[in-house]
Amino acid sequence: MTVVVKATRTSLATGKFGRGCRQYATEAAQTRGPVSYISLGLTVATGGSLLYWYTREKDKKLEKLATKSVVVGNAAIGGPFELLDHNGKPFTEKDLLGEFALLYFGFTFCPDVCPEELEKIAAAADVIEKDTGRKVQLVFLSVDPERDGVAQVREYVREFHPRMIGLTGSLEKTKAAAAGYRVYYNKTNDSPDDYLVDHSIITYLINPEGKFVTFYGKNYTQEEMAQSISDHLRAWREQHPDYTCK
């Protein structure tokens, strides 16, 4: 054993194996370079695919949950709530009676999804009015009451449509309203001021009696949403002669 150890140390000292080891290390490093970049690229691509799959599956589950709730009964989605409108006045589910309404839950600090969905809703409402002569109510309900006060919500909804109503309230009342419509929402981090809110991306259609009719996910286009709602308005007119509609 001793002879082997001495021979090894001597060989390394004289460079007998040292040059070969250094050459191997250099070749290995050169070989690992491209492999590492390829591995990194595959990791990024895989991560992106997984993120897309997760987001798509989450939206599917939310829509399936909403559909399943509708089958159970008319009262499964919706119900009473008590919030404040963007002028600081009390607003409940009874204020929706008399006309079809579109409800969307979001938050004013949302960087992209909420603005895109609200712009789509506003544009669809204008198409519906031209098509049927009816002015569908547009309602934005904040799921971030800690930052979305009355004044903040008022300024926000003005950016999308003159008829859009903004609602906010206490944490408890916001939670109750969201639960009634099976809306999921959750802060993405623990910062008290700098955070986003992960939430359901669903627009709810409510009939003049305040009952849930259907919902529209992010995959619906402005045209598809407008056509679907116009059809629901005309179907309502057939069953309610006093409801005028083109």
Side-chain angles (χ1 to χ4, degrees), residues 121-154:
I121 292 169
D126 289 338
V127 173
I128 295 166
E129 183 177 358
K130 292 180 181 179
D131 187 29
T132 67
R134 305 297 306 196
K135 295 182 179 180
V136 174
Q137 299 183 82
L138 309 178
V139 185
F140 166 79
L141 301 90
S142 173
V143 293
D144 186 17
E146 294 175 286
R147 294 184 298 184
D148 289 347
V150 170
Q152 175 73 12
V153 170
R154 179 171 59 249

Side-chain angles (χ1 to χ4, degrees), residues 157-230:
V157 295
R158 284 177 177 175
E159 298 180 8
F160 300 101
H161 201 281
R163 293 203 317 272
M164 187 170 290
I165 301 169
L167 301 181
T168 186
S170 66
L171 287 170
E172 294 75 17
K173 291 183 177 180
T174 297
K175 183 178 180 180
Y181 284 89
R182 305 295 190 268
V183 173
Y184 161 83
Y185 69 97
N186 186 52
K187 288 184 179 179
T188 58
N189 57 53
D190 297 327
S191 174
D193 301 313
D194 185 16
Y195 60 86
L196 295 176
V197 181
D198 187 22
H199 63 88
S200 307
I201 308 174
I202 296 176
T203 301
Y204 299 87
L205 179 63
I206 309 301
N207 70 25
E209 293 179 350
K211 296 180 180 179
F212 171 79
V213 178
T214 189
F215 66 92
Y216 303 97
K218 187 180 179 183
N219 57 311
Y220 273 81
T221 65
Q222 165 194 320
E223 294 77 15
E224 291 171 337
M225 180 184 290
Q227 184 60 58
S228 173
I229 296 172
S230 293

Side-chain angles (χ1 to χ4, degrees), residues 103-119:
L103 278 60
Y104 180 83
F105 290 78
F107 64 112
T108 67
F109 287 83
C110 183
D112 44 33
V113 175
C114 291
E116 290 174 359
E117 290 300 292
L118 291 175
E119 287 176 355

Side-chain angles (χ1 to χ4, degrees), residues 41-66:
L42 290 173
T43 301
V44 172
T46 302
S49 299
L50 288 174
L51 178 60
Y52 171 78
W53 177 86
Y54 170 77
T55 303
R56 186 182 63 179
E57 289 302 310
K58 184 182 73 172
D59 290 342
K60 285 183 178 179
K61 288 181 179 179
L62 288 171
E63 293 190 1
K64 287 181 180 179
L65 176 61

Side-chain angles (χ1 to χ4, degrees), residues 64-77 182 212:
K64 287 181 180 179
L65 176 61
T67 304
K68 183 178 180 181
S69 299
V70 176
V71 174
V72 172
N74 291 332
I77 293 183
R182 305 295 190 268
F212 171 79

